[in-house]
Amino acid sequence: MPIIVNLDVMLARRKMTLSALAEMVGITLANLSILKSGRAKAVRFSTLAAICQALDCQPAEILEHRPDPRDLRSADE
């Protein structure tokens, strides 16, 4: 998947646990773990905003776009 979740990096930089972030944001530890592992299919903007506020960061510090050339289709298709 071309979207990489760097939540673990931001947590380490802030010396914060996933449990502490879950409590601050008001999201279950299980759902936050799914997001952190990159298995989430979507994230609400309100959740992303709350995470950014808790971690004092920007969305781009959490989410990264790394295109996979195999995902790109030619214009002919």
Side-chain angles (χ1 to χ4, degrees):
M1 173 174 260
I3 301 296
I4 308 301
V5 180
N6 293 313
L7 188 55
D8 53 344
V9 173
M10 288 308 300
L11 286 168
R13 286 183 184 164
R14 300 300 188 256
K15 295 181 171 83
M16 186 182 295
T17 65
L18 196 62
S19 298
L21 180 62
E23 190 172 320
M24 289 176 73
V25 173
I27 187 172
T28 66
L29 185 57
N31 283 337
L32 201 53
S33 182
I34 289 169
L35 177 62
K36 182 182 145 238
S37 69
R39 294 183 319 224
K41 299 291 182 194
V43 61
R44 292 181 184 193
F45 284 151
S46 58
T47 301
L48 183 58
I51 290 170
C52 287
Q53 184 172 356
L55 294 174
D56 189 28
C57 68
Q58 294 294 313
E61 294 177 89
I62 297 172
L63 302 175
E64 178 184 347
H65 180 245
R66 255 192 242 161
D68 185 342
R70 295 173 295 181
D71 291 340
L72 301 176
R73 295 183 181 165
S74 69
D76 297 333
E77 291 183 33

